[in-house]
Amino acid sequence: QVQLVESGGGWVQSGGSLRLSCTASGSIGRINVMGWYRQAPGKERELVALVRTGSSTTYADSVKGRFSISRDNAKNTVSLQMNSLKPEDTAVYYCNAEIQSSGRSYINYWGQGTRVTVSS
């Protein structure tokens, strides 16, 4: 059984910063892509940022230059540093990872979500 557990959400004023972290635990063989998605009220879930095994990254245009994603392979952790936050960043943020357990196929796992609220 694999679990992704997120932490670090909360409330912040516009222009502030927050750092989200997500740790994968359980029967983990290899982890491919790790990333963060978000879902605002009434909207579809969207990609925020992802980081691949070789540390290459992809960011949504809306967060480029403000957010930074990183991973610690030894700790099975992915983090998202969010700076210059805007009210439109308000959403539930979900951790995502492609994980291979015991030589099986890669499976896409999701965390339970952590809420980020940015007030104007």
Side-chain angles (χ1 to χ4, degrees), residues 25 39 42 51 54 58 77 82 91 99 102:
S25 63
Q39 188 166 18
V51 55
T58 296
T77 298
M82 305 185 293
I99 298 175
S102 303

Side-chain angles (χ1 to χ4, degrees), residues 36-38 46-50 58-60 63 67 80 82 93:
W36 291 92
Y37 291 71
R38 67 185 180 187
E46 62 176 4
L47 172 69
V48 176
L50 58 85
T58 296
Y59 293 93
V63 306
F67 291 12
L80 185 68
M82 305 185 293
Y93 284 70

